[in-house]
């Protein structure tokens, strides 16, 4: 059993009778009473808590039931993701009332936490966790967009590990999975009308080992991709957990894998694109898409299949990248320069904007919303487009003040590929030091933003770029435990950063580490990495000092 004050993320309130919570057991007589709209939570409870406790949770009503209900009252007070959980009801063992189906599900996540760390195991240890405290928890999220971006292009993440990460997001009440599917180093999604995207574009001959300045190479060919049925499975699995999936198909930059498969997509009048292969190193690649009608038609075909795989109900946003697009080839290309004159554009920045605006119109006509990295502001941005502000707060502030919706994910604060501590032990250290406390004190809404602009902050996400993360253990190490701090920032009603109770969070983390242990998460220990987690002698790119606020 977990003390109600050990919950992560912290709820709005957790009240229990007396100076310490009493408890009561769940047992073989405990039933599950699932009201309309709560079916996915009932399935999850039987699967996850059924395995951990060894209890069947048969259908049934009465005083020993776990009752799941959607409540108009909760919805009115706090919205569809809010919930009220009580274990003091006279006519049920546990009552979870949600403002909508998602609220019921988040309440079930809290129920799991209350049962204790053993509730996170895949099978019962002994009798399994059975005791629950008498408590009433009322809760609702601060932000509607609480996300994690996972880059599966630089290093491929097998489908089973993607599903595992969806479970880890759900356990932390995160509800957006940004799926970075294409880049220079690999194309990861099957497109049936363009089979070479995966036949050629999903494999590279070798990989840089460490930062791009490292002299070391891993000579093992690397690759993989998700079939269309894999994608459908991932999307359905996420939907069962009330997680929105945002697919990213990068354009017009970060496109060498696609160009290696179909050389006509590149700027053939200035580069021998037929000689290009899937890129084997990291950084900003000069090979970008050509601004032709044929390229537009090619990517419209890609997006047609993407929209079929990611239905609007679970993927209202489609990410088009739009970042780090060098303009050198367009400047040197007679065809690109002719295109600029033909379209009446001022320069190459407006040519990139032309790409983005085209797909904004195309996606809008099909009931979707375009979102892109903050470079899409350059050269002008279509009215309905949203912005992922990654280079700092500045792009998000400019976008919000201009009336665009924004997801705050500044690299100086929530890029989880950046190192977690100073010193020589951190594996392949990248970027500024961002400790667990630093992430806990991150504030998604910058001070000074007007109330009208602040209303355009949809929420926040942490980003995980995998250039120096070649497997699941490395991803776990970089993401955890900092994702727990980020989840509390995204969910909980916290005070200003300097007023946050970090010692109290650290105390609650002592219980949360045991949950992560039970889940098999290979997190960074508070005292520093285990010897097996270090990568001595592999070059990183550490940045010193306090990260700038930009």
């Amino acid at each position: 059993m977990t003390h109600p004050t050990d919950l992560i993320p912290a709820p709005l309130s957790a009240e229990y009778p007396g100076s310490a919570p009493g408890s009561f057991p769940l047992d073989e007589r405990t039933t599950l009473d699932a009201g309309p709209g709560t079916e996915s939570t009932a399935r999850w409870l039987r699967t996850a808590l059924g395995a951990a406790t060894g209890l069947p949770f048969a259908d049934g009503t009465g005083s020993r039931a776990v009752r799941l209900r959607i409540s108009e009252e909760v919805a009115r007070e706090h919205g569809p993701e809010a919930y009220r959980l009580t274990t003091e009801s006279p006519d049920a063992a546990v009552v979870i009332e949600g403002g909508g189906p998602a609220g019921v599900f988040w309440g079930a996540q809290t129920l799991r936490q209350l049962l204790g760390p053993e509730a996170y195991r895949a099978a019962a240890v002994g009798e399994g966790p059975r005791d629950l405290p008498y408590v009433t928890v009322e809760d609702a999220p601060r932000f509607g967009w609480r996300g994690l971006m996972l880059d599966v292009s630089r290093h491929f993440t097998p489908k089973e590990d993607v599903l595992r990460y969806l479970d880890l997001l759900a356990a932390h009440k995160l509800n957006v999975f940004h799926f970075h599917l294409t880049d220079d180093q690999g194309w990861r999604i099957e497109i049936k009308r363009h089979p070479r995207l995966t036949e050629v574009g999903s494999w590279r001959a070798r990989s840089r080992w460490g930062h791009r300045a490292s002299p070391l190479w891993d000579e093992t060919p690397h690759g993989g991709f998700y079939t269309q049925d894999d994608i459908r499975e991932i999307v359905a699995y996420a939907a069962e957990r009330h997680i929105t999936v945002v697919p990213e198909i990068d354009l017009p930059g970060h496109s060498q894998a696609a160009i290696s498969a179909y050389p006509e997509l590149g700027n053939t009048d200035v580069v021998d694109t037929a000689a290009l292969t899937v890129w084997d190193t990291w950084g900003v690649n000069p090979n970008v898409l050509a601004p032709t009608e044929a390229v537009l038609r090619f990517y419209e075909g890609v997006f047609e299949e993407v929209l079929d795989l990611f239905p609007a109900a679970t993927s209202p946003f489609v990410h088009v990248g739009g970042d780090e697009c060098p303009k050198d080839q367009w400047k040197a290309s007679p065809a690109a320069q002719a295109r600029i004159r033909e379209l009446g554009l001022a320069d190459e920045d407006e040519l990139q904007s032309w790409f983005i605006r085209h797909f904004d119109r195309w996606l809008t006509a099909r009931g979707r919303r375009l979102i892109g990295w903050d470079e899409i502001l350059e050269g002008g941005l279509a009215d309905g487009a949203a912005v992922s502000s990654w280079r700092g707060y500045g792009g998000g502030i400019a976008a919000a003040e201009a009336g665009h919706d924004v997801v705050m994910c500044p690299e100086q604060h929530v890029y989880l590929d950046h190192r977690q501590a100073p010193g020589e032990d951190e594996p392949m250290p990248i970027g500024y030091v961002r400790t667990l406390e630093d992430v806990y004190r991150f504030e998604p809404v910058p001070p000074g933003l007007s109330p009208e602009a602040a209303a355009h902050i949809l929420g926040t996400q942490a980003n995980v770029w995998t250039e120096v993360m070649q497997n699941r253990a490395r991803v776990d190490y970089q993401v955890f435990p900092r994702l727990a701090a980020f989840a509390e920032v995204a969910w909980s009603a916290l005070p200003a950063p300097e007023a946050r109770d970090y010692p109290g969070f650290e105390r609650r983390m002592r219980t949360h580490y045991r949950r992560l242990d039970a889940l098999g998460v290979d997190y960074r220990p508070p005292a520093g990495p285990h010897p097996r987690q270090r990568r001595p002698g592999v070059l990183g790119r550490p940045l010193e000092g306090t990260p700038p606020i930009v």
Side-chain angles (χ1 to χ4, degrees):
M1 182 183 75
T2 291
H3 194 286
T5 59
D6 283 345
L7 299 175
I8 289 179
L12 288 174
S13 68
E15 298 178 356
Y16 49 91
S19 60
S23 66
F24 67 96
L26 302 180
D27 59 28
E28 284 74 9
R29 295 169 294 174
T30 302
T31 57
L32 192 54
D33 176 11
T38 71
E39 294 84 1
S40 63
T41 298
R43 284 190 292 271
W44 179 85
L45 274 170
R46 285 198 175 97
T47 301
L49 292 191
T53 61
L55 298 177
F57 293 107
D59 286 334
T61 60
S63 62
R64 305 192 73 86
V66 175
R67 181 169 301 147
L68 309 178
R69 293 292 187 269
I70 292 175
S71 164
E72 291 184 6
E73 177 194 351
V74 172
R76 280 195 308 273
E77 290 180 1
H78 294 297
E81 290 193 281
Y83 68 89
R84 180 190 300 119
L85 180 153
T86 180
T87 60
E88 299 179 76
S89 172
D91 59 350
V94 181
V95 178
I96 299 175
E97 300 170 285
V104 176
F105 184 70
W106 305 131
Q109 296 298 325
T110 295
L111 174 63
R112 189 187 199 185
Q113 288 202 16
L114 291 171
L115 279 166
E118 297 307 307
Y120 289 80
R121 297 198 176 274
V125 177
E127 284 196 346
R130 301 286 181 91
D131 288 338
L132 273 175
Y134 287 109
V135 66
T136 296
V137 179
E138 299 210 21
D139 205 4
R142 179 185 179 191
F143 292 110
W145 185 301
R146 308 179 302 280
L148 177 78
M149 188 230 65
L150 180 62
D151 165 24
V152 299
S153 181
R154 274 48 178 270
H155 279 99
F156 179 64
T157 301
K159 180 196 71 178
E160 293 76 13
D161 289 339
V162 174
L163 300 179
R164 172 179 177 265
Y165 257 81
L166 291 171
D167 280 328
L168 290 170
L169 292 188
H172 292 81
K173 297 186 174 74
L174 297 172
N175 68 342
V176 176
F177 178 60
H178 177 166
F179 205 8
H180 184 82
L181 287 163
T182 74
D183 217 299
D184 301 300
Q185 295 86 357
W187 185 284
R188 304 295 179 215
I189 178 172
E190 178 187 27
I191 303 296
K192 291 187 181 295
R193 73 189 71 187
H194 302 307
R196 287 176 58 84
L197 287 171
T198 47
E199 290 171 1
V200 174
S202 71
W203 290 92
R204 60 178 181 262
R206 62 178 186 169
S207 303
R208 179 76 68 181
W209 182 233
H211 182 259
R212 61 180 175 270
S214 168
L216 304 176
W217 293 91
D218 179 347
E219 298 290 346
T220 307
H222 180 84
F225 66 93
Y226 309 103
T227 68
Q228 294 203 347
D229 279 345
D230 289 339
I231 294 290
R232 291 186 180 99
E233 180 182 357
I234 289 166
V235 170
Y237 197 86
E240 279 278 295
R241 287 149 184 79
H242 301 277
I243 295 172
T244 293
V245 183
V246 180
E248 181 178 352
I249 306 295
D250 232 321
L251 61 85
H254 287 290
S255 296
Q256 181 159 320
I259 295 169
S260 73
Y262 293 94
E264 65 272 20
L265 297 174
N267 294 282
T268 57
D269 55 347
V270 293
V271 178
D272 179 11
T273 55
L276 295 177
T277 59
V278 177
W279 211 25
D280 57 11
T281 190
W282 324 124
V284 178
N285 188 292
N287 294 295
V288 303
L289 297 176
T292 67
E293 290 296 322
V295 169
L296 296 184
R297 299 293 89 75
F298 183 98
Y299 274 84
E300 286 171 0
V302 169
F303 281 117
E304 282 179 8
E305 295 192 28
V306 167
L307 296 192
D308 181 60
L309 296 171
F310 295 89
T314 51
S315 298
F317 286 89
V318 175
H319 208 289
V320 299
D323 62 317
E324 296 180 329
C325 179
K327 311 299 191 297
D328 297 344
Q329 291 184 1
W330 289 347
K331 290 177 180 177
S333 164
Q337 292 302 309
R339 190 66 154 161
I340 288 172
R341 291 190 297 273
E342 174 193 344
L343 295 168
L345 304 177
D347 54 22
E348 291 77 19
D349 281 344
E350 287 196 4
L351 188 60
Q352 176 168 343
S353 178
W354 168 79
F355 258 107
I356 300 302
R357 285 174 181 270
H358 174 85
F359 285 102
D360 181 72
R361 290 190 299 269
W362 192 92
L363 290 166
T364 298
R366 288 155 182 81
R368 306 300 179 95
R369 290 190 64 189
L370 178 144
I371 186 169
W373 303 111
D374 54 56
E375 286 96 329
I376 68 174
L377 290 163
E378 298 164 4
L381 184 58
D383 289 342
V387 170
S388 302
S389 188
W390 77 272
R391 290 181 293 180
Y393 288 109
I397 292 170
E401 294 285 7
H404 296 285
D405 287 341
V406 174
V407 175
M408 281 293 186
C409 48
E411 65 170 329
Q412 302 87 353
H413 305 281
V414 289
Y415 268 34
L416 300 186
D417 44 299
H418 288 195
R419 59 192 174 133
Q420 305 185 61
E424 298 298 318
D425 286 343
E426 293 303 306
M428 303 187 213
I430 301 296
Y432 294 101
V433 172
R434 292 288 85 190
T435 64
L436 183 66
E437 181 174 0
D438 290 329
V439 174
Y440 190 67
R441 297 193 189 279
F442 165 61
E443 173 49 50
V445 179
L449 205 59
S450 70
E452 295 81 10
H456 283 288
I457 306 297
L458 298 176
T460 183
Q461 71 181 33
N463 294 340
V464 182
W465 301 102
T466 61
E467 286 93 337
V468 299
M469 289 178 246
Q470 75 280 15
N471 56 34
R472 185 175 93 175
R474 282 287 294 120
V475 174
D476 275 6
Y477 178 90
Q478 293 297 135
V479 171
F480 289 98
R482 291 182 294 180
L483 193 69
F486 174 80
E488 185 148 311
V489 168
W491 177 279
S492 302
L494 298 178
E498 63 278 5
R500 291 176 188 171
D501 180 14
Y502 180 70
F505 176 76
E506 273 192 308
R507 179 193 59 75
R508 287 182 285 127
M509 279 300 298
R510 289 199 289 270
T511 299
H512 201 67
Y513 285 122
R514 293 171 57 207
R515 298 179 189 125
L516 297 178
D517 287 334
L519 288 167
V521 175
D522 203 9
Y523 58 85
R524 182 190 188 277
H530 297 299
R532 61 178 169 74
Q533 293 173 320
R534 300 168 188 160
R535 298 292 185 275
V538 184
L539 190 66
R541 184 174 175 265
L543 299 174
E544 301 303 332
T546 302
I549 305 297
V550 294

